[in-house]
Amino acid sequence: MSSIWIAGQGLGQAEESIDYPRPDRLVKGNPKRLTQSAYQHPNMDCGIWQCEVGAWNIVFAENKQEFFQVIEGIVRLHDAQRQSFVEIKAGEAGIISPGFIGTFEVVEAVKKYYVVVES
């Protein structure tokens, strides 16, 4: 049996979860993060993610990557040394590559579509 999904379809029934960055990874604030998972598969998860302003360090596993498109707000991905960053605004998309180590900063409250793939 195959299924075709339309982005955002079924979000009314999507399971929501709220979490906060781990204290040992916090850089700024303590932003609340809301995840609405719309589709899960053993190697893929996608849905809508929202977050308040703040920043925390992230470490992606070598077998994990994320594509996302910002719907509202602004995020910055900083390199591990925080010497450079990429800013992604509403209407733009970004990729967090396998093995990425750096800082995820929410400059303006953000809402994004996300697709996380693990191999």
Side-chain angles (χ1 to χ4, degrees):
M1 178 165 119
S2 69
S3 297
I4 298 173
W5 293 82
I6 299 170
Q9 177 184 10
L11 281 175
Q13 294 82 31
E15 186 175 318
E16 293 185 353
S17 65
I18 294 174
D19 74 331
Y20 297 84
R22 290 181 7 199
D24 61 320
R25 292 196 176 178
L26 275 176
V27 174
K28 179 171 62 174
N30 189 26
K32 179 168 82 171
R33 306 181 297 194
L34 172 66
T35 303
Q36 291 178 280
S37 181
Y39 176 79
Q40 290 183 325
H41 182 273
N43 296 1
M44 185 175 86
D45 182 28
C46 61
I48 300 287
W49 184 83
Q50 298 177 70
C51 186
E52 300 171 335
V53 172
W56 59 95
N57 294 322
I58 61 174
V59 178
F60 263 54
E62 290 294 332
N63 69 333
K64 181 178 177 181
Q65 57 190 319
E66 177 182 349
F67 166 84
F68 64 92
Q69 181 170 12
V70 175
I71 301 165
E72 301 170 359
I74 300 172
V75 299
R76 290 181 182 154
L77 287 169
H78 298 264
D79 66 13
Q81 293 76 33
R82 291 188 52 88
Q83 294 181 1
S84 65
F85 64 85
V86 174
E87 187 169 272
I88 302 145
K89 302 174 185 172
E92 298 177 336
I95 294 174
I96 302 174
S97 59
F100 177 81
I101 298 172
T103 302
F104 193 95
E105 178 184 13
V106 177
V107 179
E108 289 181 8
V110 71
K111 181 177 187 179
K112 69 177 184 172
Y113 287 112
Y114 70 90
V115 179
V116 175
V117 177
E118 294 186 46
S119 57

